[in-house]
Amino acid sequence: MAFQLRTTSKGDSGMTIIVGLLCKEGIVIGSDSQAGYTRGVEMKRLDYTKIYDFSVDGAQIVITGAGIGPFITRAVEMYEEKAKETKFHKAREAADLAEQVMTDIHKRYIVERGRDLGFVKAKTAPGPQSQDDGGTLNFALMMGLCCSDGFKVYTVYPDGVADRGDKYASLGSGSAFAEYLLARLYRDD
């Protein structure tokens, strides 16, 4: 089951909170619906769709993300396209495909496009880079999966690693708040 919280207050500071909860009989994925974007000036939408759900060969999949919206949407499109060619026997296989999608997006939009546009320069100092300076992606995904091996929730980080949550997971700039509350309020029932 997936739901999206509708943000109705105006003038709030903007925070992405995405939560995935494993329940006895399913998964709940929840997200805020606020997104910022630029069209010459900074803008904000309060009705942005962040949750995408579909089924592939009997597996039920929900994907949501935090970060740059067009990258998240593109990742979901690529995932759906690649998933049609795949048969999932276990949830980990579906998460592995998400890792591959993150790698493909990084290669296409950071490495190759940056090189083609002349943005990528030789790295002179060790340390992490960001999307802005030709380094890593600036978004992450969360997946809720219902496969033959049960219900699973994964967070797929910008470096392309999918981490399985044992009971719950959170993502976004408000993740610290969500983790604090989930650690205290989550119950197996």
Side-chain angles (χ1 to χ4, degrees):
M1 176 182 183
F3 69 91
Q4 193 147 333
L5 305 172
R6 296 292 173 194
T7 307
T8 57
S9 62
K10 298 188 189 266
D12 53 359
S13 62
M15 176 186 311
T16 296
I17 299 177
I18 296 170
V19 177
L21 302 167
L22 290 172
C23 302
K24 282 183 179 180
E25 298 181 21
I27 301 169
V28 175
I29 301 288
S31 171
D32 68 286
S33 62
Q34 183 172 284
Y37 60 99
T38 303
R39 296 287 188 262
V41 296
E42 290 292 320
M43 300 177 72
K44 188 180 290 188
R45 281 185 59 183
L46 301 177
D47 63 346
Y48 197 79
T49 299
K50 292 184 179 180
I51 299 176
Y52 305 86
D53 62 317
F54 52 94
S55 54
V56 178
D57 191 40
Q60 298 295 316
I61 302 168
V62 176
I63 301 177
T64 185
I68 298 176
F71 278 89
I72 296 165
T73 302
R74 185 64 185 124
V76 171
E77 292 169 350
M78 289 173 71
Y79 188 92
E80 282 186 279
E81 190 176 298
K82 289 175 180 282
K84 291 177 185 175
E85 305 165 5
T86 308
K87 195 169 201 155
F88 301 123
H89 300 286
K90 296 181 178 182
R92 182 69 229 185
E93 294 168 349
D96 288 345
L97 181 60
E99 289 181 349
Q100 182 60 52
V101 166
M102 293 295 271
T103 300
D104 291 349
I105 288 177
H106 184 270
K107 180 180 176 188
R108 181 177 190 176
Y109 293 104
I110 303 299
V111 176
E112 292 174 358
R113 178 120 345 128
R115 183 182 59 238
D116 293 345
L117 295 173
F119 294 145
V120 177
K121 298 176 183 171
K123 189 174 172 184
T124 58
Q129 294 178 315
S130 70
Q131 195 163 298
D132 298 330
D133 61 10
T136 61
L137 296 171
N138 195 7
F139 77 99
L141 302 174
M142 181 180 289
M143 300 177 65
L145 301 161
C146 175
C147 293
S148 61
D149 63 339
F151 304 111
K152 309 283 188 222
V153 63
Y154 285 90
T155 302
V156 189
Y157 296 100
D159 61 5
V161 175
D163 180 34
R164 185 171 58 88
D166 290 327
K167 297 177 181 182
Y168 54 81
S170 67
L171 187 63
S173 58
S175 186
F177 299 107
E179 288 288 328
Y180 175 80
L181 292 172
L182 288 167
R184 283 152 183 74
L185 301 175
Y186 178 84
R187 292 185 317 265
D188 288 333
D189 61 351

